[in-house]
Amino acid sequence: MEADETRLPFDAQEYAAAAYAQGKSLTDMQTELSEQLQSVRRSLYSLINERYQDFLGLGTSLSGLDTSIASLREPLTEIKGEIQSAHLELQTELDHLDSRLAYRTQLREKKQMLRLFLDLGQLLERASMILQEAKATTEQTDYIKCLERAAVDLSQIRYFAKKGEGLPFVVNAQPRIEQVEQSLLDALEQFLSSCAKRYVELATASKAEEADMYEMARNIAQSLRAYSAVEETDKAELILRSSMVQPFAKRIFGSQPGRGMGLDPAKFSDMLQQVLQFVKAVGVPLIRDIEAHMSASSGSTGYHFATHVFWQEIATSMMDSLPLVFVPGMPARFHKNYQTACSFVSAFGDVFSLADDAFKDGVSEYEVLALDPTFIEFHRKWQLLAYFSIQKKLIVGALEDSNFKDIHETTPGLENGQNDASRPQTPSMSSKLTKPNRDKLEPIKRENGLLTEQAAQALWAVSRCWSRDVYLVPLAANFWQLTVQVLLWYQHSVEKCIQQLIQAQIADSETDQLLQHIHDTYAVNAAVFKQIRTICQLIPIASAHDSEGEKSMISSLGTAVTQALAPLEALVRKARDAIASTIVSQCTANLVSNLRRTTSQYRHTNRPPPTAASSFVSKLFTHMATMEIKIDGMESSNESADFGSMIKQIMRNRVAKDVSREFAKVCLETLVTLSKTEASLQRLRSKSRGAGARVDTGYAGDLPVPPGIDLRGKAPDTDNDKIRRQIWLDVVQLSQIISDYGVEPSDEFSSFAQLIHPFGK
């Protein structure tokens, strides 16, 4: 490397990295560094020579510098000593101030403790005097005022006792505090209980004195204010429960024999009506008057009377006194009692206007009731799943076919995420129950135009699931799953019947049964989809006035029904094909013999040429007409479906194609035979004329029309031509019959009609 004196300051790491990147060895690097060192030295020597005077002045310019520094060091040292002395003095003063402040804080705390001691003693003394004064007074108004003042003092006593917790004088005063507290709470309980009982007597009297009730409500409100001051609202609500509601609830529910077993719904309804009347007479005016007295002075009351006083006691008494009313031993009574209980809960909320109640303490009364443990337990107490199991057994046991037990639980439902406990289990058919009697099925048959027992039983079971005396709102998902299972049962039952009928030698009776099953599948499908609209009104999530939600629900339920009945579509097609095949066989049974009869009519009989179709052609579809009469009879009894026109059109199309195809085939075979016979006769005539005569076979490549034969515009003169003309007339007549049916013949028949066109007029 060339010497470069500008490479200063020299970076050894950078140089080593560059040399490594260039692949230089250590010897090369040593050589380069030596050259660089020599270059730097030469530059230094050159610089000294050029500025030699300056170089010599370096030493002289620093002369006297030590003296100057020494002269500056002395004052700076003096200043440093003064600063350190001042710092020590200030630190001493700060320590003195900190000790004074700590002493002052200690004095303040001692003063506060002394004030606390004095205040606590004064409050205890004053509270004791107020309680003594309350005992001496005879007026209820003065008495409750004294108790309310004592409650305020007790609240402050509790505050000071908590603030001075652990201090000796607070520990020593604790027995006296507890004595004052217990005396106050006992007095409040006795006063509130007596006022509550008196208020109930006044409210339930034949002639209630509103002034007395208002005065008593004011005393109760003042008692509640006192309880609120000492933060004992729960005790106050418990006293009101035991004094006002408990005696009435025990009298209503506790007097029933059998602990509610088989309780008559009418009697249960009467009991709940008495409860509502009591609540209206006592609870509503009491709450109104209490809130009127308390809201003016204390704002939010902090009480939830409707839930904590009335509902909790009523529900608890009902659950304790009538535990068996929640057991579905008698399903019909259980259903009515549950409906009555739900109506009672709704009416209870309406009485207190819970849904429209203003918010209190950030929570509405309606939310307090909904979240109340007693409210939740009351609803859980009803054994709804046991009730559903009983109803399911009754409905399933009424179905006649034991293949219901083969239906799996993987059926479409409202909720895919149901747990096993809430899903209905497939019942065992080991203990069959009685089928729905004929009197119950006949109205269903007439209403829906049903012809089979399976269809009537399926619709009976579906309607039973959603009938007013069976269905319960919380079991909507369960009953919907049962509905789908019933449809699957119907699908399996019909599948078995149709397959047995198809496998059997089909006669008129089997054909009629197949037609009945086809008819009923359409009728059941239409009836179930009609029932879906009623179901949507019963399901809670679709009961709101939300048209979009209802449409979505109808679509979802319809999809589930379609999936359950989807296999029936293929079965119905098979059944239709079997019926059509039977009709075709009946229509074409004598077709060959009839065409032979046509041939014999004109062979060597000298009959005149035909001018009309054969009589048997107009009777070809007699069996189809008979079937249509049966279908029309079914349609007249089914007002909800266009089964007749649809099934007739399908059957006409199938029968017309198959009959016309068979007709063309038989006619073609007849004409082929006729042409072959004619060709044989020509060959015989040719032999009689001589070997050199030309033979016209009259038959070419399976064509039924011999070469040179065209009967259009002229009368047939030979027997064979008369036969050909008769077949042509028959084909024309059959084409017209098929056209009158509104369907098309088969392609083979159309091709055959075009082929024999030369035989026409």
Side-chain angles (χ1 to χ4, degrees):
M1 128 178 143
E2 297 181 358
D4 186 2
E5 62 275 8
T6 62
R7 296 171 65 92
L8 296 174
F10 179 75
D11 190 340
Q13 292 183 354
E14 181 181 354
Y15 172 76
Y20 178 79
Q22 296 174 6
K24 294 180 180 180
S25 64
L26 293 177
T27 304
D28 295 336
M29 293 171 60
Q30 182 181 10
T31 303
E32 287 184 359
L33 290 174
S34 297
E35 293 176 355
Q36 182 68 16
L37 178 60
Q38 294 298 327
S39 175
V40 171
R41 285 177 177 176
R42 286 194 296 269
S43 298
L44 178 61
Y45 294 156
S46 176
L47 180 62
I48 292 174
N49 291 333
E50 289 177 0
R51 303 180 64 180
Y52 185 73
Q53 294 296 328
D54 294 336
F55 176 73
L56 293 177
L58 287 176
T60 58
S61 61
L62 296 178
S63 62
L65 183 60
D66 294 340
T67 306
S68 300
I69 292 175
S71 63
L72 291 174
R73 181 182 290 114
E74 184 177 354
L76 290 175
T77 303
E78 292 178 358
I79 293 173
K80 179 180 179 181
E82 293 176 357
I83 290 174
Q84 290 178 347
S85 177
H87 181 270
L88 291 174
E89 292 178 359
L90 290 175
Q91 186 64 42
T92 302
E93 290 294 329
L94 286 175
D95 293 341
H96 180 67
L97 288 175
D98 287 341
S99 63
R100 295 289 298 274
L101 289 174
Y103 179 71
R104 184 176 180 180
T105 301
Q106 186 179 5
L107 290 177
R108 185 182 293 111
E109 291 178 354
K110 291 182 178 180
K111 183 179 179 181
Q112 289 178 351
M113 292 299 103
L114 181 59
R115 175 63 64 182
L116 178 64
F117 176 75
L118 294 175
D119 290 342
L120 183 58
Q122 291 175 359
L123 288 171
L124 285 172
E125 187 66 27
R126 188 169 67 183
S128 300
M129 292 177 61
I130 292 174
L131 291 176
Q132 292 297 328
E133 181 182 350
K135 291 180 180 180
T137 185
T138 57
E139 294 292 333
Q140 285 188 341
T141 304
D142 297 336
Y143 181 78
I144 188 56
K145 285 182 178 180
C146 291
L147 295 182
E148 191 172 0
R149 287 163 49 201
V152 174
D153 288 345
L154 179 59
S155 177
Q156 295 181 4
I157 290 171
R158 286 179 172 179
Y159 169 76
F160 288 132
K162 185 176 181 180
K163 190 174 181 181
E165 186 176 4
L167 295 177
F169 70 88
V170 175
V171 174
N172 294 332
Q174 193 63 39
R176 190 177 178 188
I177 295 174
E178 294 176 355
Q179 180 183 1
V180 170
E181 180 178 351
Q182 190 62 42
S183 299
L184 175 61
L185 293 178
D186 291 343
L188 282 174
E189 179 179 357
Q190 183 179 1
F191 183 79
L192 179 59
S193 178
S194 62
C195 291
K197 292 177 181 178
R198 179 57 181 164
Y199 187 90
V200 173
E201 293 175 359
L202 293 173
T204 55
S206 57
K207 292 183 179 180
E209 296 292 338
E210 294 185 2
D212 294 340
M213 289 179 61
Y214 186 81
E215 181 70 20
M216 201 58 58
R218 185 181 63 182
N219 293 337
I220 294 174
Q222 288 179 310
S223 300
L224 295 175
R225 277 206 302 266
Y227 273 106
S228 181
V230 296
E231 299 180 353
E232 296 287 354
T233 56
D234 292 342
K235 288 186 178 180
E237 291 174 340
L238 185 60
I239 293 170
L240 290 178
R241 277 183 57 181
S242 60
S243 302
M244 301 181 69
V245 189
Q246 190 178 80
F248 172 80
K250 286 187 176 181
R251 178 168 56 84
I252 295 296
F253 299 119
S255 60
Q256 301 302 320
R259 298 175 61 81
M261 177 181 292
L263 183 61
D264 182 45
K267 191 172 184 179
F268 186 61
S269 176
D270 181 65
M271 293 163 58
L272 295 183
Q273 286 298 324
Q274 293 182 49
V275 172
L276 285 177
Q277 292 175 1
F278 173 80
V279 170
K280 291 178 182 178
V282 177
V284 174
L286 175 65
I287 294 175
R288 182 186 63 242
D289 293 342
I290 289 176
E291 291 184 348
H293 285 297
M294 297 184 70
S295 60
S297 59
S298 59
S300 175
T301 64
Y303 291 96
H304 301 285
F305 299 105
T307 300
H308 295 164
V309 176
F310 289 92
W311 168 258
Q312 286 186 356
E313 185 58 39
I314 292 169
T316 301
S317 297
M318 189 187 305
M319 290 187 289
D320 292 343
S321 302
L322 305 174
L324 297 181
V325 78
F326 301 93
V327 180
M330 298 180 179
R333 293 194 173 189
F334 176 86
H335 180 277
K336 291 181 180 179
N337 288 336
Y338 178 78
Q339 296 282 51
T340 301
C342 291
S343 300
F344 166 75
V345 173
S346 178
F348 182 87
D350 293 339
V351 166
F352 290 105
S353 302
L354 296 186
D356 302 325
D357 194 23
F359 279 80
K360 299 179 179 181
D361 300 333
V363 182
S364 71
E365 286 285 355
Y366 183 78
E367 291 176 328
V368 172
L369 177 62
L371 298 175
D372 182 67
T374 308
F375 183 82
I376 297 173
E377 178 63 22
F378 177 78
H379 284 280
R380 288 179 177 174
K381 193 81 172 176
W382 295 93
Q383 299 182 17
L384 297 178
L385 290 179
Y387 166 79
F388 173 76
S389 298
I390 294 174
Q391 289 293 354
K392 182 176 182 179
K393 187 174 183 180
L394 292 173
I395 293 172
V396 171
L399 301 179
E400 65 172 1
D401 199 337
S402 62
N403 64 3
F404 191 94
K405 64 185 178 183
D406 299 328
I407 300 174
H408 300 293
E409 289 297 322
T410 56
T411 54
L414 293 177
E415 301 177 5
N416 295 328
Q418 282 186 309
N419 55 34
D420 294 336
S422 62
R423 294 173 59 184
Q425 301 297 317
T426 304
S428 173
M429 298 297 293
S430 58
S431 57
K432 274 192 178 181
L433 302 181
T434 306
K435 302 178 187 178
N437 57 48
R438 195 168 299 275
D439 294 338
K440 293 182 179 179
L441 294 182
E442 286 303 322
I444 297 177
K445 283 187 175 182
R446 289 194 301 270
E447 180 181 356
N448 299 280
L450 301 178
L451 303 173
T452 61
E453 292 292 322
Q454 293 97 324
Q457 289 173 352
L459 286 188
W460 172 85
V462 171
S463 62
R464 189 65 181 161
C465 289
W466 303 97
S467 60
R468 294 185 179 276
D469 57 338
V470 172
Y471 170 74
L472 292 175
V473 172
L475 297 173
N478 304 75
F479 277 110
W480 172 247
Q481 284 193 337
L482 180 57
T483 298
V484 176
Q485 286 181 287
V486 169
L487 296 179
L488 289 176
W489 168 86
Y490 174 69
Q491 179 251 315
H492 283 288
S493 178
V494 173
E495 180 180 10
K496 179 185 290 186
C497 293
I498 290 178
Q499 288 179 348
Q500 290 176 352
L501 291 172
I502 292 176
Q503 292 172 0
Q505 187 68 30
I506 297 182
D508 289 341
S509 59
E510 285 80 4
T511 301
D512 293 346
Q513 293 180 37
L514 282 175
L515 195 60
Q516 291 174 359
H517 283 298
I518 294 173
H519 170 271
D520 281 1
T521 56
Y522 288 100
V524 168
N525 191 70
V528 171
F529 273 92
K530 183 179 179 181
Q531 181 78 13
I532 284 177
R533 295 190 174 274
T534 303
I535 294 174
C536 287
Q537 300 299 323
L538 298 175
I539 296 176
I541 57 177
S543 60
H545 300 289
D546 184 359
S547 59
E548 294 299 326
E550 184 175 354
K551 290 180 181 178
S552 176
M553 176 60 64
I554 292 175
S555 176
S556 300
L557 299 185
T559 301
V561 172
T562 302
Q563 292 176 356
L565 298 178
L568 286 180
E569 291 295 329
L571 288 173
V572 167
R573 286 194 295 270
K574 290 178 64 176
R576 288 201 305 258
D577 292 343
I579 295 174
S581 298
T582 301
I583 296 175
V584 171
S585 299
Q586 293 172 341
C587 292
T588 59
N590 300 320
L591 189 58
V592 175
S593 61
N594 287 328
L595 286 175
R596 287 176 180 174
R597 190 178 300 112
T598 298
T599 301
S600 62
Q601 285 179 352
Y602 293 101
R603 183 78 70 186
H604 309 298
T605 59
N606 201 24
R607 291 172 63 95
T611 58
S614 301
S615 60
F616 77 88
V617 176
S618 61
K619 301 176 182 178
L620 276 177
F621 292 98
T622 301
H623 296 283
M624 181 64 197
T626 302
M627 182 63 62
E628 290 188 359
I629 293 174
K630 296 178 181 179
I631 294 173
D632 290 337
M634 296 177 185
E635 183 184 15
S636 63
S637 62
N638 185 9
E639 302 176 356
S640 61
D642 55 348
F643 167 79
S645 59
M646 178 188 65
I647 197 67
K648 284 193 296 185
Q649 189 67 21
I650 294 174
M651 298 294 290
R652 284 177 179 179
N653 187 63
R654 170 67 189 277
V655 171
K657 287 185 180 297
D658 289 354
V659 169
S660 62
R661 183 183 297 108
E662 186 67 20
F663 188 86
K665 176 183 176 182
V666 175
C667 289
L668 180 62
E669 292 174 352
T670 302
L671 290 177
V672 168
T673 302
L674 188 65
S675 298
K676 289 180 178 180
T677 303
E678 194 171 30
S680 298
L681 291 174
Q682 286 184 6
R683 283 193 293 271
L684 290 174
R685 293 191 189 101
S686 298
K687 289 181 180 180
S688 62
R689 293 173 187 167
R694 178 178 176 274
V695 178
D696 185 4
T697 62
Y699 187 79
D702 288 340
L703 288 177
V705 182
I709 294 180
D710 192 345
L711 300 179
R712 289 175 294 184
K714 59 182 179 180
D717 54 357
T718 66
D719 293 345
N720 290 343
D721 291 343
K722 292 177 183 178
I723 294 172
R724 293 186 180 99
R725 175 61 61 83
Q726 184 63 63
I727 291 176
W728 177 79
L729 290 172
D730 293 346
V731 169
V732 172
Q733 177 69 15
L734 183 59
S735 298
Q736 185 61 43
I737 293 174
I738 293 174
S739 177
D740 292 341
Y741 267 125
V743 294
E744 296 291 333
S746 65
D747 294 338
E748 295 85 349
F749 181 83
S750 299
S751 299
F752 178 73
Q754 185 67 27
L755 186 65
I756 65 173
H757 181 65
F759 300 160
K761 295 180 180 180

